[in-house]
Amino acid sequence: MLDPVKLRVLRSVVETGSIRASAEALGYTPSAVSQHLSTLRRETGLELVERTGRGITVTAHARILAEEAGTALDALAVLERTVKDLRSGRTGTLRLGYATSIASTWIPELARDVRRRYPDLGLELALRDCSCEDLAEAGMDIIVGEGTADAVPEEWAVQDILEEGYVALVGTGHPLAGRSSLPMKDLADQSWVTDDPLESFWFDRIGSACRAAGFSPCVDANPNDFPTVLGFVATGDYVSVQPSVIAQYLRPDVLAIPLDPPAPRRRLRVQVRRTVERNPAARYIVQRIHAAAERRAREIPGAVHLGVGPTGAPSQAATEATAPRSADVSQSAGVA
């Protein structure tokens, strides 16, 4: 049987492309990493790395082995967490994946409330800049994010929780800073900054709204995090279009200006694996997510809480906003 420790070392070497970098990441010495690789090469009969000058080149065999080992190592990690839970007396672990736009607002309070109410629960939180579909593949139990597909696998119970619009972010010294609202076309001649990958579903939605207004956005800066976006906007030379939820709490030198219709809108949803949907902690988490969405809907112009009423029936706002999807809401009402 292959040693998981050696497989983890191989994954690190494949990821970094360097024995020294892997040693630093793993807390090993370079010689220990080399020894693990040599042993794994003997056990598998595969050449895993080739020396090139002072460095190495990872072979195709090593990449395939590392990729295939990922599933086994992830499963082993789940087993190790189970053992840890049993040893510590915990009643189990729930894995919650969430989107960037609610990372600093909803999630810290949610984690605090859950840990106070269920102190014996292991709660793992994972920030992922991806869709609900991607998070589902990452082994999450509960997901709060944006679904990009109409069809949801049977193993998930789904509720839409919030529909919101987008806002333009500008610096306080920007010429548009005094406007109470903006049509998309007024952003045509601006330099844009966004943290969305330009080929992503999310930015394509914004780009489609721009193209409908007769222009293509000129993205001059594309950092990978929202605080850096705010730094560019604060200079007064850039604008950004973002969901209204993430724009609630900004730097004092950045303003959020609502976009006039027709402007892009999006929906956030919560997904719960049906294997845990009756778990009291999972039900509580979904309730708290709805409470956060309802609170934000009161604070954000144009946002609608797509919640369910105390009897499990869709609220009036949800009925009006999600009439085509009412079946989805009723099917998953037992989660809330």
Side-chain angles (χ1 to χ4, degrees), residues 17-332:
S18 165
I19 289 178
R20 183 173 298 278
S22 296
E24 293 176 356
L26 296 169
Y28 294 166
T29 63
S31 60
V33 171
S34 296
Q35 186 174 5
H36 280 306
L37 291 177
S38 296
T39 303
L40 189 59
R41 177 181 60 81
R42 290 196 300 271
E43 292 175 349
T44 61
L46 300 173
E47 292 297 331
L48 303 174
V49 297
E50 298 175 347
R51 295 287 178 179
T52 54
R54 295 185 177 182
I56 62 166
T57 298
V58 176
T59 67
H61 285 160
R63 295 186 184 280
I64 295 172
L65 181 59
E67 182 177 354
E68 293 296 327
T71 301
L73 291 174
D74 290 344
L76 181 60
V78 172
L79 180 60
E80 290 173 344
R81 285 196 298 270
T82 301
V83 172
K84 183 179 178 181
D85 289 340
L86 293 172
R87 188 169 57 239
S88 64
R90 287 177 174 171
T91 57
T93 297
L94 288 176
R95 303 189 70 200
L96 171 65
Y98 57 94
T100 304
S101 57
I102 60 171
S104 64
T105 52
W106 300 14
I107 300 303
E109 293 180 2
L110 173 65
R112 177 201 63 195
D113 294 345
V114 172
R115 287 191 166 118
R116 287 178 179 176
R117 183 152 178 166
Y118 298 96
D120 294 330
L121 174 74
L123 181 63
E124 295 185 7
L125 304 172
L127 170 65
R128 295 288 188 273
D129 187 17
C130 53
S131 68
C132 285
E133 291 78 18
D134 296 326
L135 285 168
E137 292 298 320
M140 302 296 154
D141 298 308
I142 303 173
I143 300 168
V144 189
E146 184 176 355
T148 60
D150 292 332
V152 179
E154 286 294 324
E155 63 265 28
W156 291 94
V158 181
Q159 294 181 33
D160 288 334
I161 55 175
L162 186 76
E163 183 177 295
E164 62 170 336
Y166 283 68
V167 295
L169 302 185
V170 301
T172 53
H174 193 279
L176 297 175
R179 303 280 291 275
S180 59
S181 65
L182 288 171
M184 289 292 293
K185 65 181 180 62
D186 284 7
L187 303 177
D189 297 328
Q190 304 295 324
S191 294
W192 284 51
V193 55
T194 181
D195 54 331
D196 287 329
L198 300 186
E199 69 282 0
S200 68
F201 172 89
W202 299 274
F203 192 73
D204 185 62
R205 174 187 295 145
I206 297 170
S208 294
C210 293
R211 291 188 291 271
F215 72 98
S216 294
C218 178
V219 178
D220 289 337
N222 188 207
N224 59 7
D225 64 283
F226 185 61
T228 303
V229 168
L230 295 181
F232 276 97
V233 171
T235 66
D237 290 339
Y238 298 83
V239 300
S240 188
V241 171
Q242 298 284 344
S244 58
V245 162
I246 199 173
Q248 273 192 286
Y249 304 105
L250 300 173
R251 297 168 38 151
D253 49 1
V254 175
L255 302 173
I257 304 175
L259 293 171
D260 295 333
R265 293 182 67 81
R266 72 164 189 169
R267 287 184 180 181
L268 293 177
R269 65 169 42 158
V270 57
Q271 294 186 189
V272 182
R273 285 193 188 275
R274 296 196 182 276
T275 54
V276 301
E277 66 175 316
R278 297 187 182 278
N279 181 299
R283 292 166 66 94
Y284 179 72
I285 288 172
V286 174
Q287 290 171 357
R288 299 307 299 155
I289 291 169
H290 271 293
E294 185 176 15
R295 185 167 63 250
R296 296 299 181 253
R298 292 195 301 266
E299 300 168 352
I300 302 171
V304 179
H305 172 225
L306 307 177
V308 294
T311 64
S315 66
Q316 181 177 355
T319 301
E320 294 173 352
T322 62
R325 295 177 57 86
S326 58
D328 291 351
V329 176
S330 62
Q331 286 174 359
S332 56

